[in-house]
Amino acid sequence: MAKTILVPGGAGFIGSHTLLALKAAGYTPLVLDNLSNGHQDAVLDANFIEGDIRDEALLDQLFENHAIDAVVHFAAFIEAGESVRDPMKFYDNNVAGSLNLVRAMVRHGVRKMVFSSTAAVYGDSTDAPLTEDLPKVPINPYGQTKWAVECMLRDTAAADGLQAIALRYFNAAGADPEGRLGERHDPETHLIPLVLQAASGQRDAISIFGTDYDTRDGTCIRDYIHVADLADAHVKALEHLFTQDDSKVRGRRGFYDAFNLGNGQGFSVREVVDAAKQVTGVDFTVKEEERRPGDPAVLVANAEKARTTLGWSPSIPALEDMVAHAWNFMGQS
Ligand SMILES: NC(=O)c1ccc[n+]([C@@H]2O[C@H](COP(=O)([O-])OP(=O)(O)OC[C@H]3O[C@@H](n4cnc5c(N)ncnc54)[C@H](O)[C@@H]3O)[C@@H](O)[C@H]2O)c1
Ligand SMILES: O=c1ccn([C@@H]2O[C@H](COP(=O)(O)OP(=O)(O)O[C@H]3O[C@H](CO)[C@@H](O)[C@H](O)[C@H]3O)[C@@H](O)[C@H]2O)c(=O)[nH]1
């Protein structure tokens, strides 16, 4: 029988794309989303429950009524800049929400979780590319909340037999190559969709936040990873969890591991702008502004561990393809 996967945050950008990959791999996803930032119509071909991971009674009801085999947990607030301005909003949703969810899993004997973590846990590291074992020193509350949840999963694995994988995504980008889904954050804060809004005339210009970073052209460098490749990594992570030999788990000992997901290649903000101009053929206005609080200068992944342990490798590594798929989703190509 198909395994049922609870997907909190499945109506969001990465979650909705992952639903397609889960279905294609033969799983039955069940989405739980409070629609604070997601879209119900992004849930294609999966059951949807509107609700909040902080609602203990709802979680109890859900775990009682459905035979859930694993949880793939995307539900969180995601903007690093906003987390600097309103940290408690992030601690409440990301940490208290995840605590409530993990507690419910332990109560109901559901042991397997894949968790959306982030490159932001590494803070302003001078190492590039970043490996998983580097110190976790987030420089914004958002990254801090994600690292707090990772610690909770690690410790709960040791004490209560949870089996958890944290996937540390670098910058999610692109859209479903078949055009069914795309990025619809509102308000949008991410670089690529904003740049494309400038190209399509939906906004007057794009602003570059900071041109005095210690990088090759003074702007921040990020490792952009296609959302379809992230989706695929969740399937691989689940497979890894389902092939763990439970009989070898002594006593209450569980399993916890973390994997970087990126292409291993960094692009500066200016390079992203240039790629968008090339893909769209539009020469839009670019402004230069002050740094945005909470932004590390460089975040580039070493994703070797995900390749060797999970058998994952990106299939759409080119930045131009990510930009083109996002542009296609906007109905512009
Ligand atoms: N977008 C990126 O580049 C990126 C990079 C690294 C990590 N992540 C992480 O990946 C996950 C998904 O990111 P995304 O870009 O798809 O964001 P998103 O905002 O599109 O998706 C998050 C979803 O969670 C839902 N949600 C939020 N709080 C909830 C709650 N309390 N209960 C139920 N549902 C709730 C929202 O409505 C939304 O649908 C997040 O955990 C984020 O921190 C994202
Ligand atoms: O109008 C804009 C928007 C962004 N940027 C810059 O572009 C880069 C990328 O920014 P953005 O697209 O907002 O992504 P990040 O802030 O890097 O964060 C994303 O990527 C992180 C992992 O690296 C995740 O943890 C976060 O959830 C996700 O929002 C940063 O240097 C920004 O300062 C601009 O210059 N102008």
Side-chain angles (χ1 to χ4, degrees), residues 78 118 142 171 189-191 194 207 209 220 222 292 295:
I78 70 165
T118 169
Y142 165 72
N171 286 55
T189 60
H190 291 104
L191 180 63
L194 287 176
S207 295
F209 297 143
C220 288
R222 294 287 182 274
R292 190 175 66 176
D295 274 344

Side-chain angles (χ1 to χ4, degrees), residues 12-14 33-34 37-38 52-53 74 93 142 146 169 172 185:
F13 173 45
I14 305 169
D33 199 300
N34 65 3
N37 286 309
D52 198 298
I53 54 167
F74 296 97
N93 201 31
Y142 165 72
K146 290 288 178 172
Y169 321 148
H185 295 122

Side-chain angles (χ1 to χ4, degrees), residues 115 117-118 121 136 145-155 166-168 256-258:
F115 170 64
S117 189
T118 169
V121 299
K136 267 53 88 181
T145 64
K146 290 288 178 172
W147 176 235
V149 175
E150 281 204 41
C151 293
M152 180 171 75
L153 298 179
R154 179 199 62 202
D155 298 343
L167 297 177
R168 297 182 187 146
Y256 163 80
D257 211 349

